[in-house]
Amino acid sequence: MAEMRYVELGGSGLTVSRLCLGGMSFGVPTPPRPWTVGYDETRAVIAAALDAGINFIDTANCYADGTSEEYIGRALRELGVPRESVVLASKVFYNDGGLSREAIMREIDGTLARLGTDYLDLYVIHRFDAATPIEETLAALDELVRAGRVRAIGASAMYAYQLHNMQSVAAANGLTPFSTMQSQYNLLYREDEHEMIPVCRQFGMALTPYSSLAAGRLTRPGWDASTRRSKTDVISQKKFDPMRSWDEKIVSRVAELAERHSVPMAAIAIAWLWARGVESPIVGCSRPELVGAACRALDVELTDEERVYLEEPYVAHPLVGVRPHDLAELVARKA
C-alpha cells in the first residue's frame, strides 16, 4: 500500500492526512446510534489509523453523549501519542443553547475535558443556528481562537447562502473565518456540487465531507448487510433508502471498478472524492481492518473515463443535512 499523503486544510495552517478518522462509531451505545463500539474496539481502530499515517480525528460533543470524545482522548493518552502529532476536531450545536456565546463557551470546556487536552485544532459548528445572531456565534468562536483554545474553525451542513453570509460577516468584522466544510458528499449524494462547493472554494475552504462511504453502502455489492449498524441505523436508512433503486446502479459500478483495480470498494469511493478535489474525507471505522480498506485508496488513481463512468447514473437527490429554513430569519435578514 502506498504511503499516506498530507494536505493543508484551507487557510488554517493545519496539515492533515488525506483521510480523517470519524468518531461517530465510538462510545457507549445511545439512541439514535445503538451500534457504536466500546473502548477496546475504539483504541484498536485508532491504533490502526495512526499506524497507517492518519493524524486527523473528528468527533462531536453529542456523539454517544460525549463518550466518543472520552474514548478518543483516553486512547491517545494510553497509546502515548504526542498531542502535537494529531489534529483533533470536534463539533458544537446539538446542545442546550445551540451556537449562542454561552453555549459555545460551556461546550468547549466539556469537549476539552473529555478529550483530555487544553486546545482543539479544529472546532466545527455542527449546523447553522437560526436562533442565534451570526455575529454572536462568530465573535465567540473568534474569542476561542485568540485565546489559543481553538486553532481553527469549520462549518458543517447548511445552505450555501448561510455559509456565504457567515463568511461575509467574519470578513467585515475582522473575525476568524471558517477554514473547512464538513457536509455530506459521496457518490450517492452530490447535491453540494451545485452551490455549496463553489462557495467553499470562493472562500478558500477545504472539504472534509462526512458519510464519504454512504454509511457503508459504497463498501459492499449488496445494499443490505447483516451488520448491527445496517440493521439499527434508522437515520441512515431514512437518508439513503428512498433513492435505493437509482443508487444501486452506482454501487454496482463501484464494485466493478474495485474488482478491476483489485481493491476494496471503499478505496474506489474515496479515490473518487479525491478526484473531485476533496482534501480529507471522513471515514468511520468500527474495526481496524476497515481502516486498511479505506487506505487502499492510496493505491488508486481513477482515469477521467472511470470517474465519468461512476458519476453517469446519478440523479438529483432531496437535500440532506440542512435544517428547515427559518422564515423569521429570512425576513429579518431581508429587512
Side-chain angles (χ1 to χ4, degrees), residues 28 42 67 75 83 91 104 110 117-118 142 145 149 153 165 207 219 235 255 264 281 291 295 297 310-311 321 331-332:
V28 176
T42 297
T67 57
R83 175 64 184 88
K91 297 184 281 293
I104 288 173
T117 181
D118 57 3
D142 182 73
V145 173
R149 306 188 74 198
I153 61 173
N165 286 345
L207 304 179
T219 67
I235 295 176
V291 175
C295 289
L310 291 170
E311 296 173 357
V331 171

Side-chain angles (χ1 to χ4, degrees), residues 2 11 37 44 47 90 114 116 135 151 157-158 169 173-174 189 192 195 250 260 272 276 294 325:
V37 300
S90 194
R114 288 187 290 270
E135 295 80 1
R151 295 179 63 191
M158 61 179 67
V169 168
N173 292 277
Y189 184 83
D192 276 8
E195 296 185 10
I250 300 172
R260 184 186 306 173
W272 176 82
R276 297 293 302 192
H325 282 294

